[in-house]
């Protein structure tokens, strides 16, 4: 899975690094759009990401639910994370 252009540095008027510290998580990535937050989490896990790493997407274009059911999570319609 190739994701571009990269995670956001600011989200909802907040510095993402500051949110990372406030939420006490080892890593926080916020994306405008991702095919799937789960795919991104798997990609990071393969690179030995720390437990409790959080990936947030404003929009998912190829999300998967239970039993592999596909779904799209439209921007502004919820909070999508893994």
């Amino acid at each position: 899975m190739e994701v571009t252009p990269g995670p956001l540095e600011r989200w909802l008027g907040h510095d993402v690094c500051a949110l990372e510290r406030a939420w006490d998580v080892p890593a926080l990535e916020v994306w405008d759009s991702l095919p799937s937050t789960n795919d991104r989490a798997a990609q990071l896990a393969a690179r030995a990401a720390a437990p409790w790493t959080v990936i947030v997407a404003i929009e998912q274009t190829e999300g998967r639910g239970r039993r592999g059911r596909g779904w799209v999570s439209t921007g502004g319609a919820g909070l999508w994370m893994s």
Side-chain angles (χ1 to χ4, degrees):
M1 174 184 78
E2 199 64 35
V3 283
T4 54
L8 302 175
E9 293 180 13
R10 295 193 60 76
W11 180 44
L12 299 175
H14 300 279
D15 180 78
V16 171
C17 290
L19 290 172
E20 189 177 89
R21 289 187 301 274
W23 293 356
D24 194 25
V25 295
L28 170 63
E29 286 189 0
V30 179
W31 296 81
D32 276 326
S33 181
L34 278 177
S36 164
T37 56
N38 262 339
D39 286 350
R40 181 63 181 157
Q43 187 180 54
L44 293 175
R47 297 181 192 157
W52 298 103
T53 295
V54 176
I55 298 98
V56 175
I58 295 167
E59 168 190 65
Q60 285 187 106
T61 58
E62 299 173 25
R64 287 181 315 283
R66 292 185 179 158
R67 298 186 177 135
R69 293 182 181 130
W71 55 287
V72 173
S73 42
T74 308
L79 179 61
W80 323 108
M81 72 177 89
S82 291

